[in-house]
């Protein structure tokens, strides 16, 4: 099977608020160190589990998932926050994840449910303090990515644009 995380569904509030008000595996010291960090709805599976995405670099407990993007290493990152070497605003905590049985994801891609894309760290870390420009759509990461893909993807984006990243969170 396959697993993945949603990165374009920022939740209202920050890590301290969300991980305190809902069941979570986040300990108090991590909540306090990353109290201003953004949280994204990651998917419906294991909602009490949180992962952290960041661009700080490889630290103990982290894994590189794309150029300039790492997952994990929250304990070491917490130490860097305490040393003022890393800002909590440069971390994106993801609540839960998505999962597919073997073959399911490829079938859904073939049906046009998902559109695989290779994107830069600036897109992946949009809600973790990545640099944005005046041309970026700060309200709709999906539209930004689809637009950059061009061609038929830009047309699909235009057909479904305007809903924004907060569409599932209200």
């Amino acid at each position: 099977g396959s697993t993945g995380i949603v990165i374009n569904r920022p939740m209202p509030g920050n890590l301290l608020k969300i991980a305190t008000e809902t069941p979570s595996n986040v300990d108090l010291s991590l909540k306090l160190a990353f109290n201003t960090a953004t949280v994204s709805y990651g998917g419906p599976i294991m909602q009490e589990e949180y992962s952290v995405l960041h661009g700080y670099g490889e630290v103990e407990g982290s894994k590189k998932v794309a150029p300039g993007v790492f997952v994990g290493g929250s304990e070491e990152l917490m130490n860097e926050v305490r040393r003022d070497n890393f800002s909590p605003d440069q971390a994106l905590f993801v609540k839960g994840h998505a999962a597919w049985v073997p073959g399911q994801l490829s079938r859904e891609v073939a049906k046009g449910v998902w559109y695989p894309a290779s994107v830069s760290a600036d897109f992946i870390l949009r809600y973790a303090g990545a640099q944005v420009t005046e041309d970026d759509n700060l309200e709709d990461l999906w539209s930004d990515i689809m637009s950059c893909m061009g061609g038929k993807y830009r047309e699909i984006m235009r057909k479904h644009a305007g809903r924004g990243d907060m569409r599932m969170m209200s």
Side-chain angles (χ1 to χ4, degrees):
S2 303
T3 60
I5 55 173
V6 177
I7 60 170
N8 66 325
R9 294 291 180 271
M11 299 176 74
N14 54 38
L15 181 66
L16 180 61
K17 178 182 186 312
I18 295 166
T20 300
E21 293 177 355
T22 62
S24 82
N25 67 343
V26 180
D27 68 35
L28 182 59
S29 59
L30 203 61
K31 290 178 197 177
L32 293 174
F34 287 94
N35 61 344
T36 60
T38 300
V39 177
S40 179
Y41 167 82
I45 310 297
M46 298 177 71
Q47 283 283 296
E48 71 285 354
E49 298 284 327
Y50 287 70
S51 301
V52 61
L53 287 174
H54 59 90
Y56 184 76
E58 198 160 334
V59 296
E60 185 178 335
S62 72
K63 180 180 179 181
K64 183 178 181 177
V65 293
V69 181
F70 300 83
V71 64
S74 57
E75 293 295 322
E76 186 61 32
L77 287 174
M78 181 172 56
N79 293 332
E80 295 302 320
V81 168
R82 290 177 175 157
R83 291 185 204 111
D84 286 330
N85 293 333
F86 184 71
S87 170
D89 297 335
Q90 294 177 326
L92 174 64
F93 281 80
V94 181
K95 182 179 180 4
H97 67 272
W100 297 265
V101 297
Q104 180 185 3
L105 183 57
S106 57
R107 286 190 303 274
E108 289 181 7
V109 168
K111 289 181 180 177
V113 174
W114 303 103
Y115 307 103
S118 179
V119 299
S120 71
D122 287 345
F123 279 129
I124 298 170
L125 298 174
R126 166 79 51 93
Y127 292 107
Q131 188 171 2
V132 293
T133 70
E134 61 186 42
D135 295 330
D136 291 330
N137 182 341
L138 302 181
E139 305 296 319
D140 199 336
L141 178 58
W142 179 84
S143 290
D144 254 4
I145 292 170
M146 294 292 280
S147 179
C148 286
M149 290 169 65
K152 71 177 185 178
Y153 302 103
R154 182 174 283 131
E155 293 306 313
I156 293 167
M157 179 274 301
R158 286 184 181 133
K159 182 177 177 184
H160 299 284
R163 294 168 47 193
D165 291 343
M166 298 300 285
R167 63 181 160 265
M168 289 179 60
M169 300 297 107
S170 44

